[in-house]
Amino acid sequence: VGFANGFLFASGNIMMAAGFLFGGFSIARELEDTTKTYPFFPGGEITVNCASGAYLEGGPPDGWTKCTFNGGDLLIAMFTLELGSQGLGLVEPAVTAFTKARKACYEILKLTDRIPDIDCFSEAGLAPANVKGDITFDNVHFAYPSRPDQMVAQGYNLTIAAGQTVALVGA
């Protein structure tokens, strides 16, 4: 975990450094490409580039163009990328939770959509008119159809006398 976390932060810092290097070289290249020398007062010259021409008294010289990219734009772009990537990293726990919830929902829907083998609402079949006597469970083994691998009763024995009230409660 420590190595992976260190690698994560190192890769982020390396990407930031690469971005700043690229941006810095791009700005330097644009400054060099737009540098021009203009006549200034009789016998003098002034060197102006895309960044400095706007600050001259009397306005920029003819043919001057503003820089397309500057240090402020570079900082905004790099910090926006950093915050965006952190935001994407924060999405992962929610995606994991949604994946677990979808799996749980699938299992529940599979259970509720199951058609049982015994229809408890059916009137078909034999039914005695009246019943009198003892009820005996002898060596009962039982598992629910939805979980056949987990036995609920294993060799269960019970005798209930006629007229006796009994409740069976399971955990």
Side-chain angles (χ1 to χ4, degrees):
V1 172
F3 177 75
N5 198 20
F7 185 71
L8 175 73
F9 283 108
S11 65
N13 289 333
I14 290 169
M15 293 305 293
M16 288 291 284
F20 278 121
L21 277 173
F22 177 77
F25 282 119
S26 297
I27 292 170
R29 189 175 337 120
E30 185 174 18
L31 290 175
E32 289 173 3
D33 292 345
T34 60
T35 300
K36 295 181 184 173
T37 303
Y38 295 95
F40 187 73
F41 286 115
E45 298 180 330
I46 186 166
T47 303
V48 179
N49 60 26
C50 65
S52 61
Y55 302 107
L56 294 175
E57 271 187 48
D62 292 337
W64 176 82
T65 58
K66 185 178 177 185
C67 292
T68 58
F69 190 66
N70 59 37
D73 293 338
L74 175 63
L75 287 174
I76 290 170
M78 294 307 295
F79 286 123
T80 302
L81 286 172
E82 182 180 5
L83 288 174
S85 62
Q86 287 176 0
L88 285 176
L90 293 174
V91 169
E92 188 275 330
V95 170
T96 302
F98 279 122
T99 303
K100 288 180 181 179
R102 282 186 59 168
K103 183 178 180 190
C105 184
Y106 172 76
E107 294 297 325
I108 290 170
L109 290 176
K110 190 168 74 172
L111 184 65
T112 58
D113 292 342
R114 182 182 65 85
I115 299 172
D117 296 334
I118 301 171
D119 185 4
C120 62
F121 298 109
S122 174
E123 298 291 330
L126 300 175
N130 59 12
V131 177
K132 290 184 180 179
D134 297 339
I135 299 173
T136 303
F137 295 103
D138 187 27
N139 198 25
V140 174
H141 294 269
F142 175 74
Y144 289 104
S146 61
R147 298 181 77 181
D149 57 325
Q150 187 167 357
M151 295 299 293
V152 176
Q154 296 178 352
Y156 185 71
N157 297 310
L158 176 67
T159 302
I160 303 170
Q164 185 180 8
T165 302
V166 177
L168 300 177
V169 180

